[in-house]
C-alpha cells in the first residue's frame, strides 16, 4: 500500500507567518511548519520515513526527519511544482 501525505496550509492571524500542517495517512498531525509561503507537494522516503516538502513560494525543498526536524534544504529552484522520491535509486525528482 502506498502511503499518502497531506499538507494543509492556512494563515493564522494570531501568528506572524502562515502555519502549514503535515498529516500522516492516518490523519495524525505530524508537524507544524512555520514560514512556508506556498507548500504544494511532499513525498516520503519509506526507508527512514523522512519527508521532502516543496515550498513553491520560496522555490525550495526541505527534508524533514520522521519527527519533523529539518535535515536538508535545497534552494534556488525556479518555482517548482511537483516532486517524487524513488526509493529504489534514492533519487528525488523535481519538476
Amino acid at each position: 500500500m502506498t502511503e499518502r501525505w497531506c499538507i494543509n496550509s492556512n494563515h493564522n492571524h494570531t501568528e506572524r507567518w502562515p502555519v502549514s500542517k503535515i498529516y500522516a495517512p492516518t490523519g495524525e498531525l505530524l508537524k507544524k511548519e512555520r514560514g512556508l509561503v506556498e507548500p504544494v507537494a511532499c513525498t516520503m522516503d519509506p526507508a527512514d520515513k523522512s519527508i521532502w516538502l516543496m515550498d513553491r513560494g520560496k522555490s525550495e525543498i526541505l527534508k524533514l526527519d520522521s519527527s519533523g526536524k529539518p535535515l536538508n534544504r535545497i534552494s534556488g529552484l525556479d518555482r517548482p511544482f511537483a516532486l517524487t522520491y524513488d526509493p529504489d535509486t534514492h533519487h528525488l525528482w523535481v519538476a
Side-chain angles (χ1 to χ4, degrees):
M1 182 170 108
T2 303
E3 291 190 71
R4 302 280 184 218
W5 296 84
C6 177
I7 304 171
N8 177 20
S9 301
N10 65 339
H11 185 74
N12 183 337
H13 295 285
T14 63
E15 299 184 51
R16 179 163 160 61
W17 300 103
V19 176
S20 296
K21 299 173 184 174
I22 303 168
Y23 294 91
T26 61
E28 173 190 6
L29 177 63
L30 296 176
K31 172 85 173 153
K32 289 184 180 179
E33 185 68 36
R34 293 178 189 222
L36 299 174
V37 175
E38 188 184 350
V40 293
C42 67
T43 188
M44 185 187 74
D45 180 347
D48 63 4
K49 306 289 187 200
S50 60
I51 299 169
W52 292 93
L53 174 64
M54 176 181 289
D55 186 342
R56 183 175 180 185
K58 286 186 173 180
S59 296
E60 67 182 18
I61 298 170
L62 301 172
K63 184 177 184 181
L64 308 172
D65 71 11
S66 61
S67 69
K69 177 183 172 187
L71 297 174
N72 198 357
R73 180 181 309 262
I74 301 169
S75 58
L77 304 171
D78 187 17
R79 303 251 326 138
F81 62 90
L83 80 159
T84 190
Y85 180 78
D86 184 340
D88 296 327
T89 63
H90 304 287
H91 290 141
L92 180 68
W93 295 92
V94 180

